Amino acid sequence: MLYKTHVTVTYALALPLLMSTDSLFIGNVVALGIGSVFPDIDHPRSYIGRRLQGVSHIVGKIFGHRGLAHSIVGIFFFLYLSRFILFHLQLPIEWGDWFILGYISHMVEDSFSKTGVAWLQPIYNKRIQFGFKRIFYTTGKFTETVIFLISCGGLVYQLFYF
Ligand SMILES: [Zn+2]
């Protein structure tokens, strides 16, 4: 999935939660958006990878794309790392929660791609496809464009009618 689709789908899904928990603040929204593209840090040519060139090359070399950064281990690693950083910079810990929510949302979205995600690596390295290999999209293809447009529509609808 392309970064823009990750962002729009994540925002469309999380907006009701942001609103119902009185959390619709810029810091939370930005943290959620960063989280929604962050797992692709393992790919030097991804949106986030190109912005953190050195880091993405190292992570990509060690773990491979959709490697450990796309697993439950990755979620917990970045959960603790983000909290550690926020705590030491004396920034709102809440940002870490929204960051991780975006991160998990990214993994769920990737799990609906044709190839799926190996959530349980390094214990179980087989990729899991959430649509039972019947419901899926192909990155950058027509199916993804449809998802992108629907999520944009969902966002606009929510922003104007709630
Ligand atoms: Zn990904």
Side-chain angles (χ1 to χ4, degrees):
M1 190 175 261
L2 303 170
Y3 83 92
K4 60 180 183 183
T5 320
H6 276 301
V7 173
T8 55
V9 172
T10 300
Y11 279 147
L13 294 176
L15 196 57
L17 193 63
L18 278 162
M19 291 195 285
S20 64
T21 55
D22 279 330
S23 306
L24 197 56
F25 303 113
I26 189 72
N28 296 337
V29 173
V30 170
L32 179 70
I34 294 173
S36 78
V37 294
F38 202 82
D40 286 340
I41 188 83
D42 59 14
H43 199 307
R45 283 170 61 201
S46 69
Y47 179 79
I48 183 95
R50 274 181 280 132
R51 273 144 192 88
L52 295 167
Q53 273 293 337
V55 182
S56 64
H57 266 287
I58 295 165
V59 178
K61 273 270 182 300
I62 298 172
F63 301 118
H65 184 48
R66 290 203 186 166
L68 269 187
H70 284 70
S71 74
I72 291 173
V73 174
I75 294 174
F76 279 99
F77 177 77
F78 286 109
L79 173 71
Y80 289 114
L81 185 67
S82 59
R83 281 177 173 258
F84 179 82
I85 292 169
L86 290 169
F87 179 79
H88 284 282
L89 295 178
Q90 295 185 336
L91 293 167
I93 295 294
E94 194 187 359
W95 291 0
D97 299 336
W98 291 102
F99 167 77
I100 282 299
L101 193 77
Y103 197 106
I104 295 168
S105 157
H106 176 111
M107 284 179 48
V108 171
E109 289 149 24
D110 274 357
S111 299
F112 278 101
S113 72
K114 204 171 181 177
T115 48
V117 166
W119 286 74
L120 302 175
Q121 56 187 315
I123 301 162
Y124 180 72
N125 290 324
K126 218 172 158 194
R127 289 181 172 191
I128 303 162
Q129 207 281 327
F130 279 9
F132 303 100
K133 302 221 166 163
R134 293 194 184 278
I135 301 164
F136 61 82
Y137 65 87
T138 310
T139 302
K141 293 283 157 60
F142 177 71
T143 40
E144 175 165 350
T145 308
V146 171
I147 296 169
F148 176 70
L149 292 174
I150 291 173
S151 62
C152 287
L155 258 180
V156 172
Y157 180 83
Q158 292 183 74
L159 289 172
F160 282 97
Y161 295 97
F162 288 104

